[in-house]
Amino acid sequence: MTKQNPADRLAAIKARVRRACEGCQRDPADVRLLAVGKSQAAPALAALADCGQLSFGENYVDEALGKIEALSGRSLEWHFIGPLQSNKTRPVATHFDWVQSIDRPRIVRRLAAQRPAERPALNVLIQVNLDREPQKAGCDPDQVAELAAEIGQHPQLKLRGLMAIPAPRTDREQQMQAFARLFQLFQALATEQPDIDTLSAGMSDDLEAAIASGSTMIRVGTALFGPRPKASQAD
Ligand SMILES: *Cc1c(COP(=O)(O)O)cnc(C)c1O
């Protein structure tokens, strides 16, 4: 695995997506791939961009800003996917295209107020704490509708859907059950917000189950870049 080059890894992920889609009669074009670059240096991201991968997810604001700067001019799309502290919303509102980790009204209001007027609306996903894990970011499943209504108050933001990181499960059936609960939340939200089009679910180890359960965007780190460097912060 570690001997592979970025082009091979990207091709391997795309092959997994294709196989997963065949298994559930979905069109692979309906599943977007987000490359998660946390703790990887800018040249590693550039190598993937050279292979045509243009959407990147980042978890840490300071680390991300350096890479966004280093890779500006390549027309990459940047998604913030980590826990977001109130005092870090301004650089996120300024430099990112998407924020997938919206989990409380205060963050919504700050991002809306801080989105530069000359930039298009910031695409946002509500992160759901699907398994109600105390240490994990994300709103309670019962709070999704309320948060969506708050987002709807702000033209600087565009609600695109939901994101979740289910508790890790190795059993495929259990993975599917968790993603199925997420898909139900997504469908319930879609009855109120018919414009939503994005369900961000599935990572290196569970993307097949996520795709079988309706994910439209998988977020892949390890399987694209190899193991994260040791010094990285834990997630
Ligand atoms: C790290 C991370 C990923 C990617 O995880 P891998 O297992 O390395 O593919 C996806 N989403 C979020 C929110 C992450 O923090």
Side-chain angles (χ1 to χ4, degrees):
M1 168 68 121
T2 38
K3 295 257 165 52
Q4 288 180 330
N5 61 38
D8 290 342
R9 287 181 180 150
L10 188 59
I13 291 293
K14 288 184 173 169
R16 281 177 66 185
V17 171
R18 268 198 313 277
R19 273 197 306 276
C21 284
E22 274 167 23
C24 58
Q25 278 88 46
R26 294 189 59 197
D27 182 348
D30 294 337
V31 182
R32 291 187 60 190
L33 171 62
L34 186 70
V36 175
K38 67 178 169 222
S39 79
Q40 303 291 343
L45 278 61
L48 266 188
D50 287 341
C51 304
Q53 175 62 35
L54 303 180
S55 304
F56 291 89
E58 291 289 338
N59 292 62
Y60 309 109
V61 177
D62 296 338
E63 179 193 315
L65 294 178
K67 289 186 246 183
I68 293 173
E69 169 75 29
L71 300 171
S72 65
R74 280 176 172 262
S75 300
L76 303 181
E77 183 181 87
W78 295 96
H79 295 232
F80 189 77
I81 62 172
L84 184 50
Q85 295 166 349
S86 297
N87 63 353
K88 294 277 172 90
T89 50
R90 187 176 295 280
V92 170
T94 306
H95 296 289
F96 280 80
D97 303 291
W98 290 64
V99 177
Q100 300 202 5
S101 44
I102 299 282
D103 63 0
R104 56 198 193 277
R106 181 170 159 78
I107 293 291
V108 172
R109 291 192 291 266
R110 290 181 66 92
L111 288 172
Q114 294 168 344
R115 181 67 168 172
E118 70 275 13
R119 299 217 54 194
L122 181 64
N123 297 292
V124 298
L125 301 179
I126 295 172
Q127 181 177 354
V128 187
N129 188 350
L130 196 62
D131 295 301
R132 297 188 161 100
E133 296 170 274
Q135 79 287 4
K136 202 171 263 182
C139 73
D140 189 274
D142 293 338
Q143 294 171 330
V144 168
E146 206 180 310
L147 212 41
E150 174 71 40
I151 293 165
Q153 306 279 312
H154 303 280
Q156 302 88 347
L157 308 179
K158 181 165 176 48
L159 179 63
R160 300 292 297 266
L162 299 179
M163 182 272 255
I165 314 168
R169 297 171 171 91
T170 48
D171 179 76
R172 174 78 189 265
E173 277 305 310
Q174 289 181 359
Q175 290 174 354
M176 299 263 298
Q177 282 170 17
F179 287 126
R181 279 188 285 130
L182 178 63
F183 189 66
Q184 282 171 9
L185 289 173
F186 181 74
Q187 285 185 308
L189 181 61
T191 63
E192 314 251 311
Q193 312 270 345
D195 286 348
I196 62 170
D197 59 4
T198 304
L199 183 57
S200 172
M203 316 198 295
S204 294
D205 291 333
D206 58 10
L207 64 90
E208 283 83 4
I211 289 170
S213 312
S215 169
T216 70
M217 188 184 291
I218 55 173
R219 309 177 309 269
V220 179
T222 319
L224 270 178
F225 291 103
R228 285 183 272 281
K230 273 244 173 55
S232 81
Q233 304 167 58
D235 16 321

